[in-house]
Amino acid sequence: MPETLLELHAQALRLFGERLRAVKDDQWGASTPCTEWDVRALVNHVTGEQLWIPPMVTDGRTVEELGDAFSGDVLGEDPHAAWDAASAAAHAAFAAPGALDRTVRLSYGPALGTAYCSELTADCVVHTWDLCRGIGADDRLPDNLVEFSIKEVMPYADSLAASGMYAEPLEVPAGANAQTRLLALLGRKG
């Protein structure tokens, strides 16, 4: 039976959380494939993304209304606790009855909750790989999350580089596995 979007979202959050718990005290400043972010900044970014979900999905707030509410350091003294709280609240917001059918007003315009959840699931998957690379952990991602992320990212992969948030897509080597194809779409060499 195929997994539901909520199951995939929960799996992606758990995977990132597992890798986060593997970060050693001396690795927070390590570089990541996201050239402007070290490990702490990457974790801060992904945690911050989770913090946006409840007010936008549950409360119907907009990016403009929230302003810079989640700018700066959202990790505080305990990054693990910050992640656990943010990811649990984010998943609960998406799992609430009717949440995936609601319209969410994002920075680029209105989108259904399903689209927002799909986007953030794929983003969490790719940033898990970034985190693994930053801390030298096993960077193999679950096949189901990779396949889901490819399908999510494929329609807009070319526009991601234009946004300045991702590098240009890379050429995919012949015979590349799914994870390599996903990473290449997002300008990462696996």
Side-chain angles (χ1 to χ4, degrees):
M1 173 187 280
E3 292 128 327
T4 68
L5 175 56
L6 287 173
E7 289 169 338
L8 291 166
H9 181 253
Q11 183 185 0
L13 294 175
R14 278 192 309 274
L15 183 64
F16 188 85
E18 289 166 6
R19 296 309 191 272
L20 171 57
R21 282 181 245 319
V23 177
K24 296 179 178 100
D25 289 342
D26 64 347
Q27 292 179 315
W28 290 103
S31 62
T32 71
C34 301
T35 55
E36 66 276 1
W37 292 335
D38 62 14
V39 167
R40 184 174 173 94
L42 174 73
V43 171
N44 190 70
H45 165 74
V46 179
T47 303
E49 285 187 325
Q50 306 317 307
L51 292 172
W52 285 90
I53 296 168
M56 294 187 67
V57 173
T58 305
D59 303 336
R61 309 233 358 238
T62 65
V63 171
E64 294 78 21
E65 289 171 341
L66 292 169
D68 62 359
F70 305 116
S71 296
D73 180 21
V74 299
L75 299 177
E77 294 296 316
D78 189 347
H80 301 107
W83 167 257
D84 290 344
S87 62
H91 188 70
F94 279 134
L100 295 179
D101 297 323
R102 287 187 196 122
T103 298
V104 183
R105 294 171 300 186
L106 303 173
S107 59
Y108 54 80
L112 281 177
T114 52
Y116 187 35
C117 185
S118 296
E119 176 185 325
L120 290 182
T121 299
D123 192 71
C124 190
V125 169
V126 173
H127 284 319
T128 298
W129 181 85
D130 294 331
L131 179 58
C132 290
R133 282 294 174 108
I135 64 171
D138 180 2
D139 64 8
R140 287 174 294 172
L141 300 168
D143 292 341
N144 64 330
L145 289 176
V146 170
E147 291 295 339
F148 171 84
S149 299
I150 288 172
K151 289 176 189 162
E152 169 59 23
V153 170
M154 187 73 77
Y156 55 83
D158 290 337
S159 64
L160 289 174
S163 74
M165 296 175 68
Y166 290 88
E168 291 288 331
L170 303 175
E171 190 167 323
V172 180
N177 65 24
Q179 181 169 315
T180 300
R181 289 193 321 270
L182 171 64
L183 297 171
L185 281 171
L186 299 172
R188 290 162 168 84
K189 188 171 183 160

